[in-house]
């Protein structure tokens, strides 16, 4: 990839940023507002797509692809499965939402304070400096590569370097992570695959409301 | 390349043989006969079952339990029982792992440089695998009594052991996280495998949610450390801390605090001990034996191998606060408990308080820590083995003794059992003729040497108060007139042998403790 191809005009960069960030905000708001939970998940997918676009603008192409693969391909699908399994009637959702307004208001206030702190830095020297608009991620016109390792660090794309790191240097951690997934798979099947007659249904609410003292006296009698 | 293969040969063997065990160790091969033991299905509606007998289950009607429960075609024990078969294979697997790791010729960094095999990890890993073999031996008979039909029980135990072994070898934060999560997840599933019991499901859910929360904080800590320094290797962080003593960095210190909190949560140190009682009570006793001993070896091993210089150069003496809180909780909380497993769970918090004392005292005290840990392991093996004794309570399913009064008149019914309980309880209390006193002696000696007088006073008070509830168990067994009757079933003979050997070690080690003390001193020198 030559430097010329990578140079993007600042003006289009800004408009793309505005487009993606506004789209992400709107999609997130629609997630909260839609009455149908399946629609909420669809808008969540849209939010992830916009976030992926923002990552591309930052120059993190591997992260953007990973976002599409993991967040949309795995997480959003899982959300969809859970929503479809739960079978929540829409009127129930609306009824429960009213009680959460105070908590949501408190969290919104916290968010406002955080945004204020981020944008107008009250302290003189702060490690968390965030400009209001992002700086354009453009490469310098010529980079003078002094040492061999500087040349090596830009010779391969970040994706290739990540591949070498994940599958070459830290393959033992990759194998351990795969064993972790094996545990998760085995656990899910072992805990849930059984005939209903073998597993009694536990009423958790009743169990939590049981008075311990009465239970103990029952056993002793 | 050859040296690389030799360096991770034990772990490679473990993985390949685990695969072999999964393929060939679950279905019993050629059996000369088919065992006709019946699995009584408890907690099932009789009405639903009446009209649904199938033909192959009718043949087992001769062996029905007296209350005419429906029987399954799967055998409950013997070579036809897949979980017990795999468990029987797992014991030589652990012993082979022990031999491979103890005799590994190359002490070096493994593979990507995040795992280090040196004298410390070899010695402590050997202890881990040896104790794991004993835990699995003890669990074999419990699989029959408790009706464990999943072979996944053993597979998850073995995967958790692999994670724990690698955690001891870990020197990097990434490796620590992956190994910790591997063994946590396996233990979570193990805790909740008993889906017939609401307590078990509650135990699994609580352990999962709380461990996920603490792992989130741990990961946040790792993220903060990496954000601030760009390093994850613990040795590099130690060097960085030593050279930047004058200007402490917020991200690094906060990260170290959060990671330490995550590790202390796993160790069940107060104030992060709240999960212990419900989880220990709800899970099968064999799982609780595994859960109360082996993760502690692994996490303490990682702490002393790699993490201690980081903690002691940032927060150092703050460990005394955790230790004191754990001692207080361990002294007061079990007083109100009548359930034996909850009592032991909360008292294990107190023991953790004792084990955290040398972590605040300094590096010379680690020998005392290992002595205490080994004695605690032996005591736990004996006590949980005694809890894995089939006990018939009229009208209830076959489990072990649950409540304090189940041990009533034990001295009259089974003096050997009451002697074993006495040895275990006195060792937990730390009273002189039994070896628990040796562990406490070492800890107090080193704490006094490091001038932690307040901590020693709290520890002495905690010992005094905990003696009350330990001796209460003995009072119920020896002195009190029993208020209710139950019948003990037959204890498996290998369990009886292990309990007897553990009891003998506990009685001997206070008087002939030199081998133990010297080998623990070697372990401390190697760290």
């Amino acid at each position: 990839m030559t430097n010329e191809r990578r140079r993007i005009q600042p003006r289009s960069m800004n408009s793309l940023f505005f487009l993606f960030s506004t789209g992400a905000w709107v999609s997130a708001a629609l997630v909260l507002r839609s009455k149908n939970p399946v629609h909420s998940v669809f808008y969540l997918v849209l939010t992830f797509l916009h976030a992926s676009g923002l990552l591309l603008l930052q120059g993190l192409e591997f992260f953007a692809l990973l976002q599409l693969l993991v967040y949309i391909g795995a997480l959003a699908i899982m959300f969809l499965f859970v929503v479809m399994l739960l079978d929540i009637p829409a009127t129930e959702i609306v009824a429960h939402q009213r009680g959460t307004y105070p908590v949501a208001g408190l969290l919104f206030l916290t968010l406002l304070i955080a945004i204020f702190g981020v944008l107008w830095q009250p302290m003189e020297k702060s490690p968390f400096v965030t400009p209001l608009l992002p700086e354009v991620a453009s490469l310098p016109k010529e980079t003078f590569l002094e040492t061999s390792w500087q040349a090596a660090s830009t010779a391969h794309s970040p994706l290739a370097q990540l591949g070498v790191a994940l599958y070459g240097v830290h393959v033992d951690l990759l194998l351990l992570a795969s064993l972790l997934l094996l545990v998760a798979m085995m656990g899910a099947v072992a805990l849930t695959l059984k005939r209903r007659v073998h597993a009694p249904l536990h009423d958790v609410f009743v169990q939590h409301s049981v008075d311990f003292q009465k239970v103990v006296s029952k056993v002793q009698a | 390349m050859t040296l690389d293969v030799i360096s991770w040969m034990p772990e490679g063997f473990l993985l390949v043989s685990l695969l072999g065990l999964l393929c060939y160790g679950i279905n019993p091969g050629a059996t000369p006969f088919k065992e006709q033991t019946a699995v009584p299905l408890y907690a099932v509606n009789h009405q639903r079952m009446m009209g649904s007998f199938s033909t192959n289950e009718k043949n087992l009607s001769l062996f029905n339990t007296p209350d005419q429960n429906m029987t399954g075609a799967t055998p409950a024990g013997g070579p036809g029982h897949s979980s017990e078969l795999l468990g029987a294979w797992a014991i030589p697997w652990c012993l082979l792992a022990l031999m491979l790791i103890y005799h590994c010729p190359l002490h070096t960094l493994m593979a990507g440089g995040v795992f280090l095999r040196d004298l410390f990890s070899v010695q402590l890993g050997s202890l881990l695998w040896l104790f794991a073999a004993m835990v699995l031996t003890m669990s074999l008979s419990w699989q029959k009594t408790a009706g464990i039909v999943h072979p996944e029980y053993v597979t998850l135990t073995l995967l958790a052991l692999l994670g724990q072994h690698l955690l001891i070898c870990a020197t990097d934060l990434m490796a620590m996280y992956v190994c910790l999560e591997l063994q946590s997840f396996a233990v979570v599933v193990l805790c909740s495998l008993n889906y017939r019991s609401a307590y078990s499901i509650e135990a699994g859910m609580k352990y999962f949610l709380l461990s996920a929360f603490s792992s989130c904080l741990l990961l946040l800590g790792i993220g903060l450390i990496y954000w601030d320094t760009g390093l994850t290797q613990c040795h590099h962080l130690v060097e960085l801390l030593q050279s930047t003593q004058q200007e402490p960095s917020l991200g690094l210190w906060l990260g170290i605090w959060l990671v330490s909190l995550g590790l202390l949560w796993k160790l069940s140190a107060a104030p992060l001990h709240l999960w212990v009682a419900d989880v220990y009570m709800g899970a099968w006793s064999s799982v609780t034996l595994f859960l109360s001993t082996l993760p502690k070896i692994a996490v303490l091993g990682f702490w002393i191998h790699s993490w201690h210089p980081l903690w002691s150069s940032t927060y150092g003496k703050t460990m005394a606060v955790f230790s004191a809180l754990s001692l207080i909780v361990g002294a007061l909380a079990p007083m109100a408990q009548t359930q034996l497993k909850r009592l032991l769970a909360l008292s294990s918090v107190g023991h953790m308080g004792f084990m955290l004392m040398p972590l605040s005292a300094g590096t010379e005290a680690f020998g005392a820590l290992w002595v205490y840990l080994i004695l605690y392991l032996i005591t736990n093996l004996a006590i949980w083995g005694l809890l894995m004794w089939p006990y018939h309570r009229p009208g209830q399913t076959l489990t072990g003794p649950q409540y304090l009064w189940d041990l009533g008149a034990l001295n009259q019914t089974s003096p050997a059992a009451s002697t074993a309980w006495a040895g275990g309880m006195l060792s937990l209390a730390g009273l002189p003729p039994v070896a628990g006193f040796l562990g406490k002696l070492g800890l107090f000696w080193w704490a006094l040497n490091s001038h932690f007088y307040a901590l020693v006073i709290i520890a002495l008070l905690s010992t005094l108060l905990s003696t009350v509830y330990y001796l209460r168990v003995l009072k119920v067994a020896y002195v009190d007139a029993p208020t209710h009757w139950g019948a003990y079933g037959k204890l498996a003979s290998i369990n009886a042998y292990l309990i007897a050997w553990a009891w003998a070690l506990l009685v001997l080690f206070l008087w002939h403790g030199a081998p133990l003390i010297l080998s623990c001193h070697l372990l401390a020198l190697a760290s």
Side-chain angles (χ1 to χ4, degrees), chain B residues 120-376:
Chain B
F120 177 85
S121 54
V122 160
Q123 299 245 334
L124 198 61
S126 312
L127 173 69
L128 183 88
W129 287 108
L130 180 64
F131 193 72
M134 293 198 278
V135 165
L136 279 166
T137 314
M138 197 75 100
S139 317
L140 267 184
S141 70
W142 198 243
Q143 294 186 355
K144 189 174 191 163
T145 315
I148 301 176
V149 296
H150 302 282
E152 285 85 12
Y153 176 91
V154 183
T155 319
L156 290 164
T157 309
L158 299 182
L159 281 169
L161 279 170
L162 188 64
Q164 283 155 4
H165 161 72
L166 285 170
L167 183 59
I168 298 176
C169 305
T171 57
D172 191 288
L173 292 175
M174 296 188 289
M176 180 264 287
Y177 178 70
V178 173
C179 295
L180 202 63
E181 287 305 290
L182 178 60
Q183 62 106 12
S184 278
F185 277 13
V187 172
V188 163
V189 182
L190 278 174
C191 283
S192 49
L193 265 183
N194 186 15
Y195 44 73
R196 293 199 188 99
S197 156
Y199 285 127
S200 180
I201 295 180
E202 181 186 347
M205 205 143 67
K206 279 187 178 164
Y207 191 51
F208 172 61
L209 289 174
L210 293 176
S211 103
F213 188 68
S214 87
S215 294
C216 280
L217 288 179
L218 188 138
L219 212 47
L220 176 65
I222 297 178
L224 282 171
I225 294 175
Y226 186 72
W227 182 22
D228 217 36
T229 61
L231 304 165
T232 51
Q233 183 70 248
C234 292
H235 298 297
H236 300 165
L237 287 167
V238 169
E239 285 174 17
L240 180 68
L241 272 172
Q242 277 165 357
S243 47
T244 59
Q245 289 253 332
Q246 272 66 43
E247 57 267 355
S249 136
L250 177 67
L252 181 58
W253 279 55
L254 191 58
I256 292 177
W257 177 256
L258 288 172
V259 173
S260 308
L261 277 188
L263 291 172
L264 284 172
W265 185 92
K266 276 283 173 309
L267 289 174
S268 73
L272 307 157
H273 68 285
L274 298 164
W275 57 276
V276 149
D278 293 315
V279 172
Y280 281 33
M281 177 179 77
W284 279 312
S285 298
S286 48
V287 170
T288 316
L289 170 58
F290 182 86
L291 166 62
S292 65
T293 52
L294 290 161
K296 293 198 166 86
I297 307 179
V299 177
L300 280 172
F302 171 74
W303 188 287
I304 289 182
H305 195 206
S306 314
W307 190 250
H308 189 74
L310 282 167
W311 171 266
S312 58
S313 49
T314 50
Y315 298 103
K317 303 227 160 77
T318 319
M319 188 56 84
V321 173
F322 286 102
S323 175
L325 274 173
S326 304
L327 286 166
I328 295 171
V329 166
L332 297 175
M335 292 281 199
Q337 298 300 333
T338 50
Q339 238 257 8
L340 280 169
K341 282 160 86 164
R342 286 181 84 92
L343 189 138
L344 289 169
L346 289 167
S347 81
S348 81
V349 176
H351 288 288
M352 205 58 233
F354 278 108
M355 283 192 257
L356 291 179
M357 279 168 68
L359 289 187
S360 40
T363 52
E364 312 90 24
F366 290 160
L369 170 68
W370 298 124
V371 171
Y372 193 89
L373 182 68
I374 290 177
L375 293 171
Y376 173 73

Side-chain angles (χ1 to χ4, degrees), chain A residues 16-68:
Chain A
L16 275 178
F17 173 74
F18 287 139
L19 182 72
F20 282 136
S21 52
T22 315
W25 270 100
V26 169
S27 310
L30 283 169
V31 169
L32 300 171
R33 276 196 56 85
S34 58
K35 303 245 182 348
N36 189 337
V38 181
H39 289 177
S40 286
V41 177
F42 288 162
Y43 285 123
L44 191 68
V45 171
L46 205 56
T47 315
F48 289 150
L49 282 169
H50 285 291
S52 179
L54 283 172
L55 286 168
L56 273 174
L57 284 178
Q58 285 291 311
L60 303 164
E61 74 266 13
F62 180 67
F63 197 170
L65 291 173
L66 208 63
Q67 171 103 349
L68 289 174

Side-chain angles (χ1 to χ4, degrees), chain B residues 432-501:
Chain B
V434 188
F437 182 65
L438 179 66
K440 291 205 163 83
L441 181 65
L443 292 176
F444 289 163
W445 170 255
W446 283 110
L448 285 173
N449 265 355
S450 318
H451 312 291
F452 279 94
Y453 300 121
L455 195 57
V456 169
I457 291 176
I458 295 179
L460 284 171
L461 284 172
S462 168
T463 312
L464 180 67
L465 289 172
S466 62
T467 313
V468 171
Y469 57 80
Y470 287 130
L471 289 182
R472 183 166 56 191
V473 173
L474 296 186
K475 178 171 91 84
V476 167
Y478 278 88
V479 176
D480 280 351
T483 53
H484 111 120
W485 295 100
Y488 280 94
K490 187 170 177 299
L491 182 64
S493 62
I494 187 68
N495 284 21
Y497 273 112
L498 280 174
I499 295 169
W501 285 335

Side-chain angles (χ1 to χ4, degrees), chain A residues 133-151:
Chain A
L133 290 174
E135 285 148 17
V136 173
S138 60
L139 283 178
K141 291 206 175 39
E142 62 262 352
T143 50
F144 185 52
L145 303 166
E146 290 183 337
T147 60
S148 58
W149 58 266
Q150 279 176 332

